[in-house]
mmCIF file of all heavy atoms in Angstrom:
data_model
loop_
_atom_site.group_PDB
_atom_site.id
_atom_site.type_symbol
_atom_site.label_atom_id
_atom_site.label_comp_id
_atom_site.label_asym_id
_atom_site.label_seq_id
_atom_site.Cartn_x
_atom_site.Cartn_y
_atom_site.Cartn_z
ATOM 1 N N HIS A 1 -74.689 38.899 -17.151
ATOM 2 C CA HIS A 1 -76.131 38.771 -17.495
ATOM 3 C C HIS A 1 -76.882 38.075 -16.267
ATOM 4 O O HIS A 1 -76.385 37.132 -15.827
ATOM 5 C CB HIS A 1 -76.502 37.992 -18.727
ATOM 6 C CG HIS A 1 -76.191 38.760 -20.004
ATOM 7 N ND1 HIS A 1 -76.959 39.701 -20.440
ATOM 8 C CD2 HIS A 1 -75.089 38.735 -20.772
ATOM 9 C CE1 HIS A 1 -76.550 40.326 -21.607
ATOM 10 N NE2 HIS A 1 -75.220 39.721 -21.645
ATOM 11 N N TYR A 2 -77.915 38.600 -15.827
ATOM 12 C CA TYR A 2 -78.786 37.968 -14.820
ATOM 13 C C TYR A 2 -80.229 38.046 -15.215
ATOM 14 O O TYR A 2 -80.961 37.057 -14.636
ATOM 15 C CB TYR A 2 -78.581 38.669 -13.429
ATOM 16 C CG TYR A 2 -77.219 38.548 -12.771
ATOM 17 C CD1 TYR A 2 -76.264 39.730 -12.892
ATOM 18 C CD2 TYR A 2 -76.945 37.510 -12.176
ATOM 19 C CE1 TYR A 2 -75.127 39.633 -12.431
ATOM 20 C CE2 TYR A 2 -75.618 37.398 -11.654
ATOM 21 C CZ TYR A 2 -74.707 38.353 -11.676
ATOM 22 O OH TYR A 2 -73.485 38.278 -11.244
ATOM 23 N N GLY A 3 -80.645 38.840 -16.132
ATOM 24 C CA GLY A 3 -82.044 38.658 -16.491
ATOM 25 C C GLY A 3 -82.362 37.632 -17.534
ATOM 26 O O GLY A 3 -81.493 37.069 -18.082
ATOM 27 N N GLY A 4 -83.671 37.447 -17.776
ATOM 28 C CA GLY A 4 -84.059 36.334 -18.773
ATOM 29 C C GLY A 4 -83.862 36.825 -20.123
ATOM 30 O O GLY A 4 -83.768 36.147 -21.050
ATOM 31 N N SER A 5 -83.728 38.083 -20.341
ATOM 32 C CA SER A 5 -83.389 38.699 -21.745
ATOM 33 C C SER A 5 -81.898 39.002 -21.776
ATOM 34 O O SER A 5 -81.381 39.837 -21.259
ATOM 35 C CB SER A 5 -84.241 40.016 -21.974
ATOM 36 O OG SER A 5 -85.498 39.731 -21.949
ATOM 37 N N ARG A 6 -81.129 38.120 -22.704
ATOM 38 C CA ARG A 6 -79.773 38.409 -22.770
ATOM 39 C C ARG A 6 -79.389 39.275 -23.737
ATOM 40 O O ARG A 6 -78.256 39.706 -23.953
ATOM 41 C CB ARG A 6 -79.156 36.977 -23.171
ATOM 42 C CG ARG A 6 -79.495 35.847 -22.226
ATOM 43 C CD ARG A 6 -78.902 35.596 -21.005
ATOM 44 N NE ARG A 6 -77.496 35.106 -21.157
ATOM 45 C CZ ARG A 6 -76.733 34.988 -20.187
ATOM 46 N NH1 ARG A 6 -77.199 35.130 -18.927
ATOM 47 N NH2 ARG A 6 -75.516 34.652 -20.342
ATOM 48 N N MET A 7 -80.294 39.751 -24.697
ATOM 49 C CA MET A 7 -80.166 40.840 -25.753
ATOM 50 C C MET A 7 -81.287 41.829 -25.461
ATOM 51 O O MET A 7 -82.438 41.492 -25.480
ATOM 52 C CB MET A 7 -80.249 40.052 -27.127
ATOM 53 C CG MET A 7 -79.975 41.240 -28.217
ATOM 54 S SD MET A 7 -80.150 40.417 -29.850
ATOM 55 C CE MET A 7 -78.577 39.896 -30.049
ATOM 56 N N PHE A 8 -80.798 43.139 -25.099
ATOM 57 C CA PHE A 8 -81.817 44.151 -24.959
ATOM 58 C C PHE A 8 -81.125 45.463 -25.345
ATOM 59 O O PHE A 8 -79.956 45.672 -25.456
ATOM 60 C CB PHE A 8 -82.313 44.090 -23.397
ATOM 61 C CG PHE A 8 -81.100 44.270 -22.382
ATOM 62 C CD1 PHE A 8 -80.982 45.610 -21.979
ATOM 63 C CD2 PHE A 8 -80.459 43.378 -21.975
ATOM 64 C CE1 PHE A 8 -79.942 45.925 -20.948
ATOM 65 C CE2 PHE A 8 -79.404 43.602 -21.011
ATOM 66 C CZ PHE A 8 -79.124 44.888 -20.445
ATOM 67 N N HIS A 9 -82.061 46.407 -25.581
ATOM 68 C CA HIS A 9 -81.659 47.676 -25.939
ATOM 69 C C HIS A 9 -82.779 48.731 -25.616
ATOM 70 O O HIS A 9 -83.854 48.449 -25.434
ATOM 71 C CB HIS A 9 -81.335 47.788 -27.376
ATOM 72 C CG HIS A 9 -82.535 47.658 -28.296
ATOM 73 N ND1 HIS A 9 -83.093 46.636 -28.504
ATOM 74 C CD2 HIS A 9 -83.136 48.685 -28.958
ATOM 75 C CE1 HIS A 9 -84.236 46.857 -29.353
ATOM 76 N NE2 HIS A 9 -84.175 48.189 -29.566
ATOM 77 N N GLY A 10 -82.307 50.021 -25.619
ATOM 78 C CA GLY A 10 -83.267 51.146 -25.325
ATOM 79 C C GLY A 10 -82.671 52.401 -25.132
ATOM 80 O O GLY A 10 -81.532 52.391 -24.750
ATOM 81 N N PRO A 11 -83.379 53.474 -25.040
ATOM 82 C CA PRO A 11 -82.906 54.736 -24.622
ATOM 83 C C PRO A 11 -82.515 54.620 -23.138
ATOM 84 O O PRO A 11 -83.239 54.028 -22.340
ATOM 85 C CB PRO A 11 -83.991 55.776 -24.800
ATOM 86 C CG PRO A 11 -85.024 54.995 -25.563
ATOM 87 C CD PRO A 11 -84.789 53.572 -25.336
ATOM 88 N N ILE A 12 -81.460 55.355 -22.792
ATOM 89 C CA ILE A 12 -81.010 55.370 -21.321
ATOM 90 C C ILE A 12 -81.658 56.349 -20.529
ATOM 91 O O ILE A 12 -81.870 57.365 -20.989
ATOM 92 C CB ILE A 12 -79.465 55.636 -21.421
ATOM 93 C CG1 ILE A 12 -78.706 54.515 -22.119
ATOM 94 C CG2 ILE A 12 -78.985 55.902 -20.005
ATOM 95 C CD1 ILE A 12 -77.325 55.026 -22.411
ATOM 96 N N ALA A 13 -81.890 55.788 -19.112
ATOM 97 C CA ALA A 13 -82.280 56.718 -18.120
ATOM 98 C C ALA A 13 -81.331 56.601 -17.052
ATOM 99 O O ALA A 13 -80.953 55.321 -16.670
ATOM 100 C CB ALA A 13 -83.717 56.377 -17.626
ATOM 101 N N THR A 14 -80.724 57.629 -16.415
ATOM 102 C CA THR A 14 -79.673 57.407 -15.578
ATOM 103 C C THR A 14 -80.005 57.655 -14.170
ATOM 104 O O THR A 14 -80.974 58.445 -13.822
ATOM 105 C CB THR A 14 -78.397 58.435 -15.872
ATOM 106 O OG1 THR A 14 -78.909 59.555 -15.774
ATOM 107 C CG2 THR A 14 -77.896 58.049 -17.268
ATOM 108 N N LEU A 15 -79.097 57.077 -13.194
ATOM 109 C CA LEU A 15 -79.495 57.285 -11.856
ATOM 110 C C LEU A 15 -78.153 56.989 -11.128
ATOM 111 O O LEU A 15 -77.405 56.020 -11.345
ATOM 112 C CB LEU A 15 -80.553 56.075 -11.412
ATOM 113 C CG LEU A 15 -80.794 55.998 -9.889
ATOM 114 C CD1 LEU A 15 -81.271 57.304 -9.270
ATOM 115 C CD2 LEU A 15 -81.863 54.978 -9.633
ATOM 116 N N LYS A 16 -77.801 57.955 -10.131
ATOM 117 C CA LYS A 16 -76.565 57.849 -9.417
ATOM 118 C C LYS A 16 -76.940 57.788 -7.943
ATOM 119 O O LYS A 16 -77.620 58.594 -7.481
ATOM 120 C CB LYS A 16 -75.668 58.960 -9.651
ATOM 121 C CG LYS A 16 -74.231 58.888 -9.058
ATOM 122 C CD LYS A 16 -73.445 59.963 -9.431
ATOM 123 C CE LYS A 16 -72.048 59.818 -8.852
ATOM 124 N NZ LYS A 16 -71.031 60.669 -9.505
ATOM 125 N N CYS A 17 -76.647 56.563 -7.285
ATOM 126 C CA CYS A 17 -76.946 56.468 -6.055
ATOM 127 C C CYS A 17 -75.983 55.380 -5.407
ATOM 128 O O CYS A 17 -75.475 54.506 -6.086
ATOM 129 C CB CYS A 17 -78.358 55.836 -5.800
ATOM 130 S SG CYS A 17 -78.733 54.509 -6.755
ATOM 131 N N PHE A 18 -75.559 55.496 -4.193
ATOM 132 C CA PHE A 18 -74.640 54.665 -3.519
ATOM 133 C C PHE A 18 -75.084 53.909 -2.390
ATOM 134 O O PHE A 18 -75.480 54.570 -1.306
ATOM 135 C CB PHE A 18 -73.302 55.433 -3.063
ATOM 136 C CG PHE A 18 -72.218 54.591 -2.647
ATOM 137 C CD1 PHE A 18 -71.475 53.850 -3.374
ATOM 138 C CD2 PHE A 18 -71.961 54.527 -1.223
ATOM 139 C CE1 PHE A 18 -70.369 53.107 -2.953
ATOM 140 C CE2 PHE A 18 -70.831 53.744 -0.888
ATOM 141 C CZ PHE A 18 -70.124 53.017 -1.713
ATOM 142 N N GLU A 19 -75.190 52.574 -2.478
ATOM 143 C CA GLU A 19 -75.720 51.658 -1.294
ATOM 144 C C GLU A 19 -77.063 52.130 -0.942
ATOM 145 O O GLU A 19 -77.388 51.826 0.301
ATOM 146 C CB GLU A 19 -74.674 51.619 -0.352
ATOM 147 C CG GLU A 19 -73.437 50.882 -0.887
ATOM 148 C CD GLU A 19 -72.333 50.748 0.041
ATOM 149 O OE1 GLU A 19 -72.500 51.015 1.471
ATOM 150 O OE2 GLU A 19 -71.308 50.215 -0.159
ATOM 151 N N ASP A 20 -77.876 52.661 -1.800
ATOM 152 C CA ASP A 20 -79.222 53.237 -1.412
ATOM 153 C C ASP A 20 -80.171 52.946 -2.629
ATOM 154 O O ASP A 20 -79.924 53.782 -3.609
ATOM 155 C CB ASP A 20 -79.269 54.609 -0.956
ATOM 156 C CG ASP A 20 -80.674 54.996 -0.513
ATOM 157 O OD1 ASP A 20 -81.695 54.471 -0.859
ATOM 158 O OD2 ASP A 20 -80.695 56.197 0.123
ATOM 159 N N ASN A 21 -81.067 51.909 -2.660
ATOM 160 C CA ASN A 21 -81.765 51.782 -3.899
ATOM 161 C C ASN A 21 -83.159 52.407 -3.830
ATOM 162 O O ASN A 21 -84.096 52.042 -4.582
ATOM 163 C CB ASN A 21 -81.908 50.282 -4.172
ATOM 164 C CG ASN A 21 -82.803 49.505 -3.313
ATOM 165 O OD1 ASN A 21 -83.298 49.946 -2.300
ATOM 166 N ND2 ASN A 21 -83.191 48.255 -3.708
ATOM 167 N N SER A 22 -83.401 53.346 -2.977
ATOM 168 C CA SER A 22 -84.729 54.064 -2.872
ATOM 169 C C SER A 22 -85.151 54.697 -4.197
ATOM 170 O O SER A 22 -86.338 54.528 -4.665
ATOM 171 C CB SER A 22 -84.709 55.132 -1.866
ATOM 172 O OG SER A 22 -84.398 54.653 -0.511
ATOM 173 N N MET A 23 -84.214 55.200 -4.883
ATOM 174 C CA MET A 23 -84.601 55.847 -6.151
ATOM 175 C C MET A 23 -84.643 54.921 -7.270
ATOM 176 O O MET A 23 -85.221 55.253 -8.361
ATOM 177 C CB MET A 23 -83.533 57.065 -6.395
ATOM 178 C CG MET A 23 -83.635 58.090 -5.324
ATOM 179 S SD MET A 23 -82.669 59.592 -5.672
ATOM 180 C CE MET A 23 -83.610 60.385 -6.979
ATOM 181 N N VAL A 24 -84.033 53.816 -7.120
ATOM 182 C CA VAL A 24 -84.166 52.665 -8.149
ATOM 183 C C VAL A 24 -85.720 52.169 -8.199
ATOM 184 O O VAL A 24 -86.282 52.300 -9.228
ATOM 185 C CB VAL A 24 -83.270 51.496 -7.886
ATOM 186 C CG1 VAL A 24 -83.540 50.363 -8.831
ATOM 187 C CG2 VAL A 24 -81.798 51.835 -7.832
ATOM 188 N N ARG A 25 -86.213 52.136 -6.942
ATOM 189 C CA ARG A 25 -87.630 51.932 -7.036
ATOM 190 C C ARG A 25 -88.409 53.006 -7.426
ATOM 191 O O ARG A 25 -89.371 52.756 -8.248
ATOM 192 C CB ARG A 25 -88.027 51.692 -5.464
ATOM 193 C CG ARG A 25 -89.602 51.591 -5.346
ATOM 194 C CD ARG A 25 -90.012 51.395 -3.904
ATOM 195 N NE ARG A 25 -89.424 50.227 -3.195
ATOM 196 C CZ ARG A 25 -90.122 48.956 -3.312
ATOM 197 N NH1 ARG A 25 -91.235 48.818 -3.896
ATOM 198 N NH2 ARG A 25 -89.619 47.901 -2.802
ATOM 199 N N GLU A 26 -88.229 54.191 -7.324
ATOM 200 C CA GLU A 26 -88.929 55.448 -7.693
ATOM 201 C C GLU A 26 -88.821 55.361 -9.260
ATOM 202 O O GLU A 26 -89.873 55.639 -9.881
ATOM 203 C CB GLU A 26 -88.393 56.741 -7.231
ATOM 204 C CG GLU A 26 -88.717 57.015 -5.675
ATOM 205 C CD GLU A 26 -88.055 58.103 -5.153
ATOM 206 O OE1 GLU A 26 -87.842 59.166 -6.014
ATOM 207 O OE2 GLU A 26 -87.894 58.332 -3.866
ATOM 208 N N GLU A 27 -87.678 55.126 -9.800
ATOM 209 C CA GLU A 27 -87.552 55.214 -11.284
ATOM 210 C C GLU A 27 -88.303 53.974 -12.004
ATOM 211 O O GLU A 27 -88.913 54.248 -12.906
ATOM 212 C CB GLU A 27 -86.123 55.037 -11.695
ATOM 213 C CG GLU A 27 -85.321 56.385 -11.467
ATOM 214 C CD GLU A 27 -85.917 57.505 -12.412
ATOM 215 O OE1 GLU A 27 -85.896 57.348 -13.499
ATOM 216 O OE2 GLU A 27 -86.203 58.546 -11.764
ATOM 217 N N LEU A 28 -88.266 52.929 -11.307
ATOM 218 C CA LEU A 28 -88.941 51.564 -11.929
ATOM 219 C C LEU A 28 -90.377 51.643 -11.788
ATOM 220 O O LEU A 28 -91.086 50.862 -12.399
ATOM 221 C CB LEU A 28 -88.227 50.460 -11.413
ATOM 222 C CG LEU A 28 -86.863 50.195 -11.802
ATOM 223 C CD1 LEU A 28 -86.146 48.914 -11.211
ATOM 224 C CD2 LEU A 28 -86.559 50.127 -13.276
ATOM 225 N N ASP A 29 -90.936 52.529 -10.774
ATOM 226 C CA ASP A 29 -92.321 52.587 -10.742
ATOM 227 C C ASP A 29 -92.965 53.506 -11.833
ATOM 228 O O ASP A 29 -94.068 53.459 -12.074
ATOM 229 C CB ASP A 29 -92.578 53.376 -9.329
ATOM 230 C CG ASP A 29 -92.869 52.424 -8.104
ATOM 231 O OD1 ASP A 29 -93.009 51.206 -8.432
ATOM 232 O OD2 ASP A 29 -92.661 53.051 -7.001
ATOM 233 N N GLN A 30 -91.975 54.172 -12.489
ATOM 234 C CA GLN A 30 -92.485 55.080 -13.707
ATOM 235 C C GLN A 30 -92.620 54.033 -14.871
ATOM 236 O O GLN A 30 -91.985 53.143 -15.027
ATOM 237 C CB GLN A 30 -91.448 56.056 -13.890
ATOM 238 C CG GLN A 30 -91.145 57.017 -12.683
ATOM 239 C CD GLN A 30 -92.474 57.678 -12.227
ATOM 240 O OE1 GLN A 30 -93.189 58.180 -12.918
ATOM 241 N NE2 GLN A 30 -92.655 57.634 -10.824
ATOM 242 N N PRO A 31 -93.408 54.681 -15.944
ATOM 243 C CA PRO A 31 -93.395 53.952 -17.158
ATOM 244 C C PRO A 31 -92.048 53.959 -17.929
ATOM 245 O O PRO A 31 -91.421 54.931 -18.049
ATOM 246 C CB PRO A 31 -94.416 54.814 -18.045
ATOM 247 C CG PRO A 31 -95.249 55.460 -17.011
ATOM 248 C CD PRO A 31 -94.329 55.835 -15.853
ATOM 249 N N GLY A 32 -91.676 52.710 -18.124
ATOM 250 C CA GLY A 32 -90.248 52.490 -18.721
ATOM 251 C C GLY A 32 -90.296 52.814 -20.262
ATOM 252 O O GLY A 32 -89.229 53.291 -20.724
ATOM 253 N N GLN A 33 -91.337 52.637 -20.984
ATOM 254 C CA GLN A 33 -91.435 52.988 -22.454
ATOM 255 C C GLN A 33 -90.258 52.425 -23.180
ATOM 256 O O GLN A 33 -89.608 52.937 -23.996
ATOM 257 C CB GLN A 33 -91.461 54.355 -22.623
ATOM 258 C CG GLN A 33 -92.656 55.044 -21.900
ATOM 259 C CD GLN A 33 -92.726 56.517 -21.929
ATOM 260 O OE1 GLN A 33 -91.755 57.085 -21.794
ATOM 261 N NE2 GLN A 33 -93.826 57.008 -22.051
ATOM 262 N N GLY A 34 -89.806 51.094 -22.811
ATOM 263 C CA GLY A 34 -88.739 50.487 -23.469
ATOM 264 C C GLY A 34 -87.214 50.944 -23.109
ATOM 265 O O GLY A 34 -86.243 50.617 -23.725
ATOM 266 N N ARG A 35 -87.160 51.768 -22.088
ATOM 267 C CA ARG A 35 -85.864 52.332 -21.746
ATOM 268 C C ARG A 35 -85.022 51.447 -20.845
ATOM 269 O O ARG A 35 -85.491 50.367 -20.439
ATOM 270 C CB ARG A 35 -85.912 53.613 -20.908
ATOM 271 C CG ARG A 35 -86.630 54.823 -21.684
ATOM 272 C CD ARG A 35 -86.784 56.085 -20.825
ATOM 273 N NE ARG A 35 -87.851 55.702 -19.813
ATOM 274 C CZ ARG A 35 -87.988 56.410 -18.653
ATOM 275 N NH1 ARG A 35 -87.112 57.453 -18.449
ATOM 276 N NH2 ARG A 35 -88.964 56.189 -17.876
ATOM 277 N N VAL A 36 -83.748 51.661 -20.816
ATOM 278 C CA VAL A 36 -82.782 50.954 -19.998
ATOM 279 C C VAL A 36 -82.433 51.841 -18.763
ATOM 280 O O VAL A 36 -81.881 52.937 -19.086
ATOM 281 C CB VAL A 36 -81.553 50.434 -20.810
ATOM 282 C CG1 VAL A 36 -80.548 49.776 -19.948
ATOM 283 C CG2 VAL A 36 -82.067 49.555 -21.943
ATOM 284 N N LEU A 37 -82.596 51.454 -17.579
ATOM 285 C CA LEU A 37 -82.142 52.189 -16.449
ATOM 286 C C LEU A 37 -80.686 51.840 -16.285
ATOM 287 O O LEU A 37 -80.320 50.674 -15.999
ATOM 288 C CB LEU A 37 -83.026 51.896 -15.311
ATOM 289 C CG LEU A 37 -82.648 52.590 -13.951
ATOM 290 C CD1 LEU A 37 -82.797 54.133 -14.015
ATOM 291 C CD2 LEU A 37 -83.387 52.183 -12.693
ATOM 292 N N VAL A 38 -79.849 52.908 -16.147
ATOM 293 C CA VAL A 38 -78.396 52.695 -15.751
ATOM 294 C C VAL A 38 -78.262 53.207 -14.421
ATOM 295 O O VAL A 38 -78.339 54.485 -14.160
ATOM 296 C CB VAL A 38 -77.534 53.450 -16.759
ATOM 297 C CG1 VAL A 38 -76.076 53.448 -16.481
ATOM 298 C CG2 VAL A 38 -77.605 52.837 -18.325
ATOM 299 N N VAL A 39 -77.931 52.233 -13.574
ATOM 300 C CA VAL A 39 -77.662 52.608 -12.008
ATOM 301 C C VAL A 39 -76.185 52.647 -11.741
ATOM 302 O O VAL A 39 -75.475 51.670 -11.756
ATOM 303 C CB VAL A 39 -78.444 51.572 -11.187
ATOM 304 C CG1 VAL A 39 -78.258 51.987 -9.704
ATOM 305 C CG2 VAL A 39 -79.884 51.580 -11.479
ATOM 306 N N ASP A 40 -75.722 53.784 -11.489
ATOM 307 C CA ASP A 40 -74.350 53.916 -10.991
ATOM 308 C C ASP A 40 -74.317 53.677 -9.479
ATOM 309 O O ASP A 40 -74.537 54.741 -8.756
ATOM 310 C CB ASP A 40 -73.615 55.283 -11.473
ATOM 311 C CG ASP A 40 -72.256 55.273 -11.165
ATOM 312 O OD1 ASP A 40 -71.667 54.428 -10.505
ATOM 313 O OD2 ASP A 40 -71.589 56.357 -11.460
ATOM 314 N N GLY A 41 -74.110 52.633 -9.077
ATOM 315 C CA GLY A 41 -74.049 52.322 -7.632
ATOM 316 C C GLY A 41 -72.567 52.449 -7.048
ATOM 317 O O GLY A 41 -72.259 51.834 -6.073
ATOM 318 N N GLY A 42 -71.641 53.104 -7.935
ATOM 319 C CA GLY A 42 -70.326 53.326 -7.445
ATOM 320 C C GLY A 42 -69.398 52.174 -7.435
ATOM 321 O O GLY A 42 -68.350 52.015 -6.862
ATOM 322 N N GLY A 43 -69.997 51.001 -7.971
ATOM 323 C CA GLY A 43 -69.194 49.792 -8.091
ATOM 324 C C GLY A 43 -69.301 48.983 -6.836
ATOM 325 O O GLY A 43 -68.361 48.099 -6.623
ATOM 326 N N SER A 44 -70.057 49.418 -5.895
ATOM 327 C CA SER A 44 -70.002 48.781 -4.618
ATOM 328 C C SER A 44 -70.498 47.297 -4.659
ATOM 329 O O SER A 44 -71.477 47.019 -5.293
ATOM 330 C CB SER A 44 -70.949 49.442 -3.556
ATOM 331 O OG SER A 44 -71.006 48.756 -2.380
ATOM 332 N N LEU A 45 -69.838 46.451 -4.001
ATOM 333 C CA LEU A 45 -70.085 45.065 -3.918
ATOM 334 C C LEU A 45 -70.693 44.717 -2.499
ATOM 335 O O LEU A 45 -70.896 43.600 -2.207
ATOM 336 C CB LEU A 45 -68.804 44.207 -4.307
ATOM 337 C CG LEU A 45 -68.196 44.462 -5.540
ATOM 338 C CD1 LEU A 45 -67.017 43.600 -5.799
ATOM 339 C CD2 LEU A 45 -69.264 44.206 -6.582
ATOM 340 N N ARG A 46 -70.996 45.792 -1.748
ATOM 341 C CA ARG A 46 -71.417 45.444 -0.381
ATOM 342 C C ARG A 46 -72.849 45.298 -0.121
ATOM 343 O O ARG A 46 -73.284 44.738 1.037
ATOM 344 C CB ARG A 46 -70.955 46.715 0.592
ATOM 345 C CG ARG A 46 -69.496 46.820 0.589
ATOM 346 C CD ARG A 46 -68.989 47.673 1.646
ATOM 347 N NE ARG A 46 -69.391 49.139 1.225
ATOM 348 C CZ ARG A 46 -68.643 50.317 1.483
ATOM 349 N NH1 ARG A 46 -67.585 50.119 2.227
ATOM 350 N NH2 ARG A 46 -69.056 51.420 1.020
#
């Protein structure tokens, strides 16, 4: 956990991107309507 809300829930919106967060910005610029963005960054720690 890194956010201030340790308990959260919502409908999933998915995004697959590797070491490029351009589309993360695009998605989060949209109305979230209580959704949870699931970002598959390929497990990269770089």
Side-chain angles (χ1 to χ4, degrees):
H1 284 276
Y2 291 100
S5 298
R6 311 271 294 177
M7 179 182 277
F8 61 97
H9 73 285
I12 294 169
T14 62
L15 175 56
K16 185 173 187 166
C17 49
F18 185 74
E19 298 183 359
D20 180 344
N21 76 345
S22 304
M23 294 188 75
V24 175
R25 174 181 294 275
E26 288 178 22
E27 285 298 299
L28 295 177
D29 273 338
Q30 305 301 315
Q33 302 171 322
R35 292 178 293 162
V36 175
L37 181 61
V38 175
V39 179
D40 184 1
S44 174
L45 302 179
R46 295 188 294 212

